[in-house]
Amino acid sequence: MQAAFWHEMWAGGVVGFHQQEINRFLRDFWPQLELDGQGQVLVPLCGKSLDMLWLRELGHDVLGVELSQKALHEFLAENALNAEPVQHENYCGYQLPQMTLLCGDFFQLTPQDCAQVKAVYDRASIIALPPEMRRDYAQHLQKILPLGTPFLMVIMEYDQSAMDGPPFSVKESEVRELFAEFTSIDVVDEEKFERKGNAVTEKVLLLRP
Ligand SMILES: C[S@@+](CC[C@H](N)C(=O)[O-])C[C@H]1O[C@@H](n2cnc3c(N)ncnc32)[C@H](O)[C@@H]1O
């Protein structure tokens, strides 16, 4: 999707993807990565996700990256958080205790930015992108992350011909292909529901080296 699409969504308050509660899959399955609240977690395409607060509460440092300045403003305002402007040559954004929020294009993120990242939380991130961008997304992540960085990823599978994205249908097989260097990609939970009359399966994947 083009940046303009997302800026329009945020400007119009069309943010149905935002969850008012901590994601259940995160709560239930993050412990399986056995990080013990240690190290920095990258949250690509983070929106104003409350899950970042949960990860921080657990002890992690959080690195969120988001195109929309409005999303980050809302995150701070709605959670009564104080922040300093971030010092970064490519991004504007905010610095908080144990949390860095970069405002700009995820694809500008460098290996230096991610040098301390120990895990990735992808909820509504890869599925926000159309097919050709998903390949770039996966390749970029593998270029910038320390080798073997594990992921918790939530995807949605449905008949793409029946309904347009975002959220796009991303099949488990596509994740296995895009992230082929992981020795283990496990589906740890799935949930079925209907969206606009179409059957959707949400799957929770743990990607581990
Ligand atoms: C579907 S939302 C999901 C947000 C968040 N992960 C959540 O669970 O609420 C996708 C977000 O990605 C942001 N986004 C889209 N393309 C981006 C890019 N290239 N770089 C950074 N953020 C991007 C959008 O502005 C939007 O907030």
Coordinates of all heavy atoms in Angstrom, one line a residue, residues 1-3 6-7 10 15 17-19 43-51 65-68 71 102 104-107 121-125 127-129 133 166-167, ligand 1:
M1 N 0.9 -1.2 0.0 CA 0.0 0.0 0.0 C 0.9 1.2 0.0 O 1.9 1.3 0.6 CB -0.9 0.1 1.3 CG -1.8 -1.1 1.5 SD -2.7 -1.8 0.2 CE -4.0 -0.6 0.0
Q2 N 0.4 2.3 -0.6 CA 1.1 3.5 -0.6 C 1.0 4.2 0.7 O -0.1 4.1 1.4 CB 0.6 4.4 -1.7 CG 0.7 3.8 -3.1 CD 2.1 3.5 -3.5 OE1 3.0 4.3 -3.2 NE2 2.4 2.4 -4.1
A3 N 2.0 5.0 1.0 CA 1.9 5.8 2.3 C 0.6 6.6 2.4 O 0.0 6.7 3.5 CB 3.2 6.7 2.4
W6 N -2.4 5.0 4.0 CA -2.4 4.9 5.5 C -2.6 6.2 6.1 O -3.3 6.4 7.1 CB -1.1 4.2 5.9 CG -1.0 2.8 5.5 CD1 -0.3 2.2 4.5 CD2 -1.8 1.7 6.0 NE1 -0.5 0.9 4.4 CE2 -1.5 0.5 5.3 CE3 -2.8 1.6 7.0 CZ2 -2.1 -0.7 5.5 CZ3 -3.4 0.4 7.3 CH2 -3.1 -0.8 6.5
H7 N -1.9 7.3 5.5 CA -2.1 8.6 6.1 C -3.6 9.0 6.1 O -4.1 9.6 7.0 CB -1.3 9.7 5.4 CG 0.2 9.5 5.7 ND1 0.7 9.5 6.9 CD2 1.2 9.4 4.8 CE1 2.0 9.3 6.9 NE2 2.4 9.3 5.6
W10 N -5.5 7.1 8.8 CA -5.3 7.7 10.2 C -6.0 9.1 10.3 O -6.6 9.4 11.3 CB -3.8 7.8 10.5 CG -3.2 6.5 10.9 CD1 -2.5 5.7 10.2 CD2 -3.4 5.9 12.2 NE1 -2.2 4.6 10.9 CE2 -2.7 4.7 12.1 CE3 -4.1 6.2 13.4 CZ2 -2.6 3.8 13.2 CZ3 -4.0 5.4 14.5 CH2 -3.3 4.2 14.4
V15 N -9.5 3.2 11.7 CA -8.4 2.3 12.3 C -9.1 1.1 13.0 O -8.7 0.8 14.1 CB -7.5 3.1 13.2 CG1 -6.7 4.1 12.4 CG2 -8.3 3.8 14.3
F17 N -8.4 -1.8 12.7 CA -7.4 -2.8 13.1 C -6.9 -2.6 14.5 O -6.4 -3.5 15.1 CB -6.2 -2.8 12.1 CG -5.6 -1.4 12.0 CD1 -4.8 -0.9 12.9 CD2 -6.0 -0.6 10.9 CE1 -4.3 0.4 12.8 CE2 -5.4 0.7 10.7 CZ -4.6 1.2 11.7
H18 N -7.1 -1.4 15.0 CA -6.5 -1.1 16.4 C -7.3 -1.9 17.4 O -8.6 -1.9 17.4 CB -6.6 0.4 16.7 CG -6.1 0.7 18.0 ND1 -4.8 0.5 18.4 CD2 -6.7 1.1 19.2 CE1 -4.6 0.8 19.7 NE2 -5.8 1.2 20.2
Q19 N -6.6 -2.5 18.4 CA -7.3 -3.3 19.4 C -7.2 -2.5 20.7 O -6.2 -2.0 21.1 CB -6.6 -4.7 19.6 CG -6.8 -5.5 18.3 CD -6.2 -6.9 18.5 OE1 -5.1 -7.1 19.0 NE2 -7.0 -7.9 18.1
V43 N 8.7 -3.9 16.7 CA 7.3 -3.9 16.3 C 7.2 -3.1 15.0 O 7.0 -1.9 15.1 CB 6.4 -3.4 17.5 CG1 4.9 -3.6 17.1 CG2 6.7 -4.0 18.8
P44 N 7.3 -3.8 13.9 CA 7.2 -3.1 12.6 C 5.8 -2.7 12.3 O 4.8 -3.5 12.7 CB 7.7 -4.1 11.6 CG 7.6 -5.4 12.2 CD 7.5 -5.2 13.7
L45 N 5.6 -1.5 11.7 CA 4.2 -1.1 11.4 C 3.3 -1.1 12.6 O 2.3 -1.7 12.7 CB 3.6 -2.0 10.2 CG 4.1 -1.8 8.8 CD1 5.6 -2.0 8.7 CD2 3.4 -2.6 7.8
C46 N 3.8 -0.4 13.6 CA 3.2 -0.6 15.0 C 1.9 0.1 15.2 O 1.2 -0.2 16.2 CB 4.3 -0.2 16.0 SG 4.7 1.6 16.0
G47 N 1.5 1.1 14.4 CA 0.3 1.8 14.7 C 0.4 2.4 16.1 O 1.4 3.0 16.5
K48 N -0.7 2.3 16.8 CA -0.7 2.8 18.2 C -1.0 1.6 19.2 O -1.8 1.7 20.1 CB -1.7 3.9 18.4 CG -3.2 3.6 18.0 CD -4.1 4.7 18.4 CE -5.5 4.4 18.0 NZ -6.5 5.5 18.5
S49 N -0.4 0.4 18.8 CA -0.7 -0.8 19.5 C -0.4 -0.8 21.0 O 0.7 -0.5 21.4 CB 0.0 -1.9 18.8 OG -0.1 -3.1 19.5
L50 N -1.4 -1.2 21.7 CA -1.2 -1.3 23.2 C -0.2 -2.4 23.5 O 0.3 -2.5 24.6 CB -2.5 -1.5 23.9 CG -3.5 -0.3 23.7 CD1 -4.9 -0.7 24.4 CD2 -3.0 1.0 24.3
D51 N -0.1 -3.3 22.6 CA 0.8 -4.5 22.8 C 2.2 -4.0 23.1 O 3.0 -4.7 23.8 CB 0.8 -5.4 21.6 CG -0.6 -6.0 21.4 OD1 -1.4 -6.0 22.3 OD2 -0.8 -6.4 20.2
V65 N 8.0 1.1 14.7 CA 8.2 1.9 13.5 C 6.9 2.1 12.9 O 6.1 1.1 12.6 CB 9.2 1.2 12.5 CG1 9.5 2.1 11.4 CG2 10.5 0.8 13.2
E66 N 6.5 3.3 12.6 CA 5.2 3.6 12.1 C 5.3 4.8 11.2 O 5.9 5.8 11.5 CB 4.3 3.9 13.3 CG 2.9 4.5 13.0 CD 2.1 3.7 12.0 OE1 1.9 2.5 12.1 OE2 1.6 4.4 11.0
L67 N 4.6 4.7 10.0 CA 4.5 5.8 9.0 C 3.8 7.1 9.6 O 4.2 8.2 9.3 CB 3.7 5.4 7.9 CG 4.3 4.8 6.6 CD1 3.2 4.5 5.6 CD2 5.3 5.8 6.0
S68 N 2.8 6.8 10.3 CA 1.9 7.9 10.7 C 2.3 8.6 12.0 O 2.2 8.0 13.1 CB 0.4 7.4 10.8 OG -0.4 8.4 11.4
A71 N -0.7 8.5 14.4 CA -0.8 7.3 15.1 C 0.1 7.4 16.4 O -0.4 7.0 17.5 CB -0.3 6.1 14.3
L102 N 9.8 5.2 16.1 CA 10.3 5.9 14.9 C 9.2 6.2 14.0 O 8.4 5.2 13.6 CB 11.4 5.1 14.3 CG 12.7 4.7 15.1 CD1 13.6 3.9 14.3 CD2 13.3 6.0 15.6
G104 N 8.2 7.0 10.3 CA 8.7 7.0 8.9 C 8.5 5.7 8.3 O 7.8 4.8 8.8
D105 N 9.2 5.5 7.2 CA 9.1 4.2 6.4 C 9.9 3.1 7.0 O 11.1 3.2 7.1 CB 9.5 4.5 5.0 CG 9.3 3.4 4.0 OD1 8.7 2.4 4.5 OD2 9.7 3.5 2.9
F106 N 9.2 2.0 7.3 CA 9.9 0.8 7.8 C 11.1 0.4 6.9 O 12.1 -0.1 7.4 CB 8.9 -0.4 7.8 CG 9.5 -1.7 7.8 CD1 10.0 -2.3 9.0 CD2 9.6 -2.5 6.6 CE1 10.6 -3.5 9.0 CE2 10.2 -3.7 6.6 CZ 10.7 -4.2 7.8
F107 N 11.0 0.6 5.6 CA 12.0 0.2 4.6 C 13.3 1.0 4.7 O 14.3 0.7 4.1 CB 11.4 0.1 3.2 CG 10.4 -0.9 3.0 CD1 9.0 -0.6 3.1 CD2 10.8 -2.3 2.9 CE1 8.1 -1.6 3.0 CE2 9.8 -3.3 2.7 CZ 8.5 -2.9 2.8
Y121 N 7.7 -8.7 16.9 CA 6.3 -9.0 17.1 C 5.5 -8.4 15.9 O 5.5 -7.2 15.7 CB 5.8 -8.3 18.4 CG 4.3 -8.4 18.6 CD1 3.6 -9.6 18.5 CD2 3.5 -7.3 18.8 CE1 2.2 -9.7 18.7 CE2 2.1 -7.3 19.0 CZ 1.5 -8.6 18.9 OH 0.1 -8.6 19.1
D122 N 4.9 -9.3 15.1 CA 4.2 -8.8 13.9 C 2.8 -9.2 14.0 O 2.4 -10.4 13.8 CB 4.9 -9.5 12.6 CG 4.1 -9.2 11.3 OD1 2.9 -9.0 11.4 OD2 4.8 -9.1 10.3
R123 N 2.0 -8.2 14.4 CA 0.5 -8.4 14.4 C -0.1 -7.3 13.5 O 0.2 -6.2 13.7 CB 0.0 -8.3 15.8 CG -1.5 -8.6 15.9 CD -2.3 -7.3 16.0 NE -3.7 -7.5 15.7 CZ -4.5 -6.5 15.4 NH1 -4.1 -5.2 15.4 NH2 -5.8 -6.7 15.0
A124 N -0.8 -7.8 12.4 CA -1.4 -6.8 11.5 C -0.3 -6.0 10.7 O -0.6 -4.9 10.3 CB -2.4 -5.9 12.1
S125 N 0.9 -6.6 10.6 CA 1.9 -5.9 9.9 C 2.1 -6.5 8.5 O 1.8 -5.9 7.5 CB 3.2 -5.9 10.7 OG 3.0 -5.5 12.0
I127 N 0.3 -8.6 7.1 CA -1.0 -8.7 6.4 C -1.5 -7.3 6.0 O -2.5 -7.3 5.3 CB -2.0 -9.4 7.3 CG1 -2.4 -8.7 8.5 CG2 -1.6 -10.9 7.6 CD1 -3.6 -9.2 9.3
A128 N -0.8 -6.3 6.4 CA -1.2 -4.9 5.9 C -0.6 -4.7 4.5 O -1.0 -3.6 3.9 CB -0.7 -3.9 6.9
L129 N 0.2 -5.5 4.0 CA 1.0 -5.3 2.8 C 0.5 -6.1 1.6 O 0.3 -7.3 1.8 CB 2.5 -5.5 3.0 CG 3.1 -4.7 4.2 CD1 4.5 -5.1 4.4 CD2 3.1 -3.2 3.8
M133 N 4.9 -6.2 -1.9 CA 5.5 -5.6 -0.7 C 5.9 -6.5 0.4 O 6.8 -6.3 1.1 CB 4.7 -4.5 -0.2 CG 4.6 -3.2 -1.0 SD 3.7 -1.9 -0.2 CE 4.9 -1.2 0.9
P166 N -6.3 -4.2 2.5 CA -5.9 -4.8 3.7 C -7.1 -5.0 4.7 O -8.0 -4.2 4.6 CB -4.9 -3.8 4.3 CG -5.2 -2.5 3.7 CD -5.9 -2.8 2.4
P167 N -7.0 -6.0 5.6 CA -5.9 -6.9 5.7 C -5.9 -7.9 4.6 O -7.0 -8.4 4.2 CB -6.2 -7.6 7.1 CG -7.7 -7.5 7.2 CD -8.0 -6.2 6.6
Ligands
LIG1 C1 -3.0 -2.6 9.9 S1 -2.1 -1.4 10.8 C2 -1.5 -2.4 12.1 C3 -1.0 -1.6 13.2 C4 -0.5 -2.4 14.4 N1 0.5 -3.4 14.1 C5 -1.6 -3.0 15.2 O1 -1.6 -4.2 15.5 O2 -2.5 -2.3 15.6 C6 -0.7 -1.2 9.7 C7 0.1 0.0 10.1 O3 1.3 0.1 9.4 C8 1.6 1.4 9.1 N2 2.4 1.3 7.9 C9 2.1 1.0 6.6 N3 3.1 1.0 5.8 C10 4.2 1.3 6.5 C11 5.6 1.5 6.3 N4 6.1 1.3 5.1 N5 6.4 1.9 7.3 C12 5.9 2.1 8.5 N6 4.6 1.9 8.9 C13 3.8 1.6 7.9 C14 0.2 2.0 8.8 O4 0.2 3.4 9.0 C15 -0.6 1.3 9.9 O5 -0.6 2.1 11.1

